[in-house]
Amino acid sequence: MPKTRKQKLKVKDFQKKKLKVGKDKPKASNATDTSFVSKTISIRNQHLGPETDLTKRIQLLKHHNSTVKKETLQAFQKMVPRIINTSIMTPLLNQCIPLICDDSRQVRSSLIELVDEIGLHDAQVLKLHCKVFVLYINMAMTHIMPSIQSSSTSFLKCLLKHCGDEICNQAFAKIMLGLFNVLGWGRSGKNLSANAAQNQKRNSKQTAEHLETLCELIRHGCTDKKNLQSDGNEEIPNYLPNQHLIPDCPQPYEHLKLFTKQLKNKQDVTSADSVVSGFSTQDVRARQLILKEQFLLDLLKHSESLTKEGGEPGKWANALKQLLDSTFQDV
Amino acid sequence: MARRGRAAILPTNIILLQNLVKRDPESYHEEFLQQYAHYESLRDIFMLQGLAGSDNAGGAGDSNGSSGSGTSGSTSQLMELIGFVSQVCFCFPKETANFPNELKQLVLEHHKSLPFELKEKIISSLMMLRNKGVISAEQLIQTMFPLLIAYSSQGNALTVNSHARELRQMIYKNLISLLKSCNTGSKNQKLNRSTQAVCFNLLEQPDSQGIWAAKLTRELWRRGIWDDSRTVEIMTQATLHGDVKIAISGVMFFLDADKEREANFEDNSEDEDGFDLDALKHKMQVNKKTGRRGKKLETAIKTYKKKSNGSAQDNGFLNFSAIHLLRDPQGFAERLFNQHLSGKNNNRFDLDQKISLMQLISRMVGTHKLMVLGLYTYFLKYLTPKQRDVTKIMSACAQACHEMVPPENLQVMVRKIADEFVSDGVASEVAAAGLNTIKEICSRAPLAIDDTLLQDLTEYKTSKAKGVNMAAKSLVTLYREIAPEMLKKKDRGKTAAMGLQEAKREGKDLKSRRPQFGVETGNVEGIAGIELLAKWKNENGNGNEDDEANWEVDEEGASEEDVEGDWVTMDSDKEYDVDMSDSDKDSDLDLSDKEEETKLDPETAFRELASTRVLTPADFAKLNELRTEEGVAKLMGIKKNEELVDSTTLVGPVKYKQTREERIQKIVEGREGREKYGSRKGNRDKAHSTTNREKARKKNFVMMIHKRSVQGKQKMSLRDKQKVLRQHITKQKKKGH
């Protein structure tokens, strides 16, 4: 047994403290006091005021969440009348256009609405960005996801409504090729692609939509209203003084590709399709020629077979056939 | 699972499609075309946005930033598609004929604006296309080199987000692996030549791009992929380049690359046996050669055999060192010395680099016996004890000497070393270094020292310092062999003194035996080691020369043939001059003549053997055996001129007094892994119960005292007691305790 005071103290350290009901647990010897006294406490709060700077909203178009993207698009759609003539439109469209290939259907449909809204207010804005639109629509047409592919035509339809001439001028042949791809019509005369074969059976509604767009495209591209009215002067290409006048279209020498950046290709090895997409489609006559030489046979064949199947697609195929007939009767 | 139609497994991602296309290219042709079109449109978008954004970078900062980050999604898509197309490219060669070309253009012309990941992807895709045989290796190299150069220049490396370092490393690695894969099996000479031409072109430009040529060449040399004289020529050009970095990389190549290559191909197992060849060598150099060192000789034989076995295995490359493959060593050494060391430009190099240059030049001079006379006076400036790294310079000095250099040039250098290093006032290490250097110089060029200086220096053999007296003694040993009359009388040694006396008695001119300038020694012509064979033939008679069996390669039979060869066919047109010399020897049994007879000159031996008969495979087998013996002798201290002078051994053994800590550390090291000393009596090896003997030992003494075995001892007679004691002692001795 410990006897001296010192020894007792030593033993005390190692004895267990008894806990009692209704009393606090005794504090440990090394407990630290964390309380403090302060005059004011400032908490940094989230800034919840209304956002005025729209450029910051544009960033949301890259948000990973599709709902956020959709809501942002809708918000911009509401604001279109206010901002249509401001400098924000270019960055906005630059950010919007890649969403053509977005995975979510909602985002794409709200983007269509936005584009439509813009076109209603000022078609010139769309015209300015036509080139980028064409590239992205083209990309969507060859996309591996079927849903993106099929929705690409509705973008095209919307654009054709507002600035059809510009699109036909720039990339008529390219878009024709893309549409053939979407419809699953093989140009090489071989088998249909597996993707398209499946789509055709399932989704006649979409096929109808594609066909409608195709009709629209051909109507915009190959029927010349001026020419129809003042029919009869077919010697215009041979009329020499015309060369020295200022041309009607803004960029008559674009097909020379003097100012575009492109990779050089060896011409002899390129496949037929890429040659076709490289044709200049500046005027109506050229487009008609391309249509006649490259696509007409396939178009007629496919539309005929679709007409036989009937239904919604059959109706549009018939319309297409009539359109083609009327167009090439004139020429 | 039930069988499904093709349409049922529609691919929804690229990887899946890639798998399907690879398995059945024809069925998925349309899908492939669609994806190829997708790739094209993506590429166009990229060209429009990514490139336009970077061109007018300053103009629209805000839009540029947003578009740059906006394309990141499409960049990853484009990367994915590039990977896809290059994977399945070989299935559709017609459709994708343009694809490799496009990739090349993209990466070569627009590399400034492409993001790093895309560049990386394009380069690896190109590499893959090469592996699949879509593009040739030459095409790939033509793409890689410009990129490598573009990214090593300052301008590109500094732009934001260029990842120049990573790209360089990747391209460099790809280049190496490309050349390696092209050169496995047989060498692809066409590719090698074109790549070497690119390297030459790089080195011709005055800027620092050539470093890549030097680096690549060195790496390929290390791996044994390039091993010809063109490669060495590239490095010569690099060494003579104006840029310091390139020049030094060239110098380092010549100094180290061969060692590196050897190390690369050597297995690590050799490190395991702790045979210190260098130490043995050193002892043999310094000490007198006596017959006592049989054991060491045996080990030397073993190692020699091991080494010769190791070198016999084919490494797949020409095993010449770079210095030997030089096309114009004299011109190269002169230009190197004039441009880099003695010219105005020498200030560009720092001391270490200068030393490397000195080492290289002197090594070349020593190996090829070149004449670069300015070198010796150049060394004089650096030969002072306080010079940093002076031992390296001294070893370079020694290396640069050979017997074709006029002795006047060397004497100046030796005099300087003797004055600066070897005097009473300097530390013992310094004196030892000086003496060792002089010894190395003299072993290469015996005329580099005159009698008086030599005799002065040999006085140091009585020095108290071990290093100094060893060095002085080694000098004495050297001159006993080369020119004993230059030494003092008491230093000459028994055999040499006897030889001199003999010569004097016969009235020969002493001077004629001394080494003379301009007479080449030790130059082996003809078949290496043939003098050994001739000697052996002389000793063993010449009976079996025309034996047909000798033509069969039979290594074991070689010894038996000595006995068998009884029958000799004597050709009328052959002369057997060996017999003649035998009869000559009988006439006079002079000591000196006998010595000459045993030291057959290789040249005469070659003439003697090779002109009279055709050597048979058996002869060659014997030759090999004899050469092994000679190789051993070489290990024992005979030097060739090409051997390197190791700067660390020049100082000699230095012994400092150890501190207490060092001593204790050494003691503890010795204890490691050994059992404690002392009796092992109590320790049991295996667990077992107590033996009867152990039990008996523990028994109470009082119980035992009346036993006969105990009482008997006391009652024993004195003689018996003595007997027992004797027995006990011998027993204990046999036990070893």
Side-chain angles (χ1 to χ4, degrees), chain B residues 11-34:
Chain B
T12 47
N13 64 37
I14 296 281
I15 306 294
L16 187 60
L17 181 64
Q18 178 181 318
N19 182 26
L20 292 170
V21 170
K22 266 188 181 170
R23 275 203 256 160
D24 187 4
E26 281 161 32
S27 316
Y28 286 91
H29 187 223
E30 285 293 322
E31 269 83 357
F32 170 74
L33 281 184
Q34 185 186 329

Side-chain angles (χ1 to χ4, degrees), chain A residues 62 95 135-136 139 142-144 149 174 181 188 190 193-195 198 261 263-266 270, chain B residues 6 10 30-31 34-35 37-38 41-45 48-49 55 66 69 98 101-102 105 109:
Chain A
K62 280 182 297 185
Q95 291 294 315
L135 279 172
Y136 273 96
M139 188 167 96
T142 51
H143 207 276
I144 201 164
Q149 246 188 49
K174 216 176 186 178
N181 184 29
S188 46
K190 278 190 210 163
S193 71
N195 199 352
Q198 201 186 31
K261 271 187 188 171
L263 297 174
K264 283 162 271 163
N265 282 345
K266 291 180 231 153
T270 45
Chain B
R6 183 165 56 90
L10 264 180
E30 285 293 322
E31 269 83 357
Q34 185 186 329
Q35 287 312 309
H38 194 63
S41 55
L42 258 176
R43 184 200 65 202
D44 288 345
I45 288 170
L48 188 77
Q49 289 195 333
D55 272 3
S66 58
S69 46
N98 245 333
N101 207 14
E102 279 173 10
Q105 277 186 28
E109 288 167 18

